[in-house]
Amino acid sequence: SCRCPSSRSGPAGYGGYDFAMIAVVGCGNPVRQDDGAGPEVIRLLKTRGLVGPHVKLLDAGTDGMSVMFAARGCTSLIIVDAVRAGSEDGAIYEVPGAELERPHEPGLNLHDFRWNAALHAGRQIFRDAFPRDVTVLLIAASRLDFGIGLSESVSVAARTVAGRIEDAIAARLRAAEHE
């Protein structure tokens, strides 16, 4: 769990916890070529040694529920996923989570509960224990057919996104130290 082990007596800016906790969640299916961009970013971040007492990295695959539970108790949430954007392959979009969250519309399978529905549900269920600081990084996909491996443009974008996340984590942790 991403819950901080300290008491809930910390500053209100950190959801009542004594220090910042950041969850980074990669979403996508690595056997659908560029849809594996989110899991690839998590793999890259792990190789950079970013997992620690204030940072949680999770490859959620296509499980929206994992996003909701990973975010519980965290002060910041960063989601990475591929998107069919109709733009240049490998283009990177950074969007506030509040702009993308939506209520779940029940379907016939668990894949219908995606991360955007998890953001909405998590906020409703966990209230103050759900992060207010939510950023979504989307990478424009080139190929989403069955197959393993990212296209070159999405691979480059995944490395760029990993670097941006590494910088964002460092900035958030520095800011938390000065609170």
Side-chain angles (χ1 to χ4, degrees):
S1 154
C2 192
R3 250 187 242 260
C4 304
S6 61
S7 71
R8 290 189 53 91
S9 61
Y14 296 110
Y17 294 102
D18 291 335
F19 53 82
M21 177 59 80
I22 303 164
V24 182
V25 181
C27 298
N29 185 344
V31 298
R32 300 291 304 236
Q33 297 182 45
D34 289 344
D35 195 37
E40 174 63 9
V41 169
I42 297 301
R43 187 192 70 73
L44 291 167
L45 292 172
K46 285 180 178 178
T47 65
R48 296 175 184 195
L50 285 183
V51 177
H54 302 288
V55 179
K56 179 179 185 179
L57 303 175
L58 174 68
D59 172 357
T62 59
D63 181 7
M65 284 286 186
S66 292
V67 174
M68 185 174 75
F69 287 107
R72 182 181 184 193
C74 292
T75 55
S76 296
L77 170 64
I78 301 170
I79 297 172
V80 183
D81 199 2
V83 64
R84 235 180 241 171
S87 63
E88 182 180 338
D89 298 342
I92 300 166
Y93 302 92
E94 184 170 333
V95 185
E99 291 185 23
L100 298 175
E101 68 182 66
R102 66 162 175 81
H104 175 60
E105 296 174 10
L108 299 175
N109 64 57
L110 289 176
H111 296 291
D112 291 338
F113 191 82
R114 297 183 44 82
W115 57 259
N116 50 355
L119 293 178
H120 177 79
R123 196 164 314 288
Q124 301 301 311
I125 295 167
F126 301 129
R127 305 219 179 264
D128 289 340
F130 201 80
R132 287 173 275 215
D133 175 23
V134 178
T135 302
V136 180
L137 291 160
L138 300 170
I139 300 173
S142 171
R143 303 179 314 220
L144 295 171
D145 295 325
F146 285 109
I148 296 176
L150 302 178
S151 64
E152 182 59 30
S153 59
V154 171
S155 181
V156 168
R159 290 190 300 275
T160 300
V161 166
R164 283 171 64 173
I165 290 171
E166 188 172 15
D167 293 345
I169 288 171
R172 284 175 171 110
L173 292 177
R174 275 193 308 273
E177 289 175 1
H178 295 93
E179 289 290 320

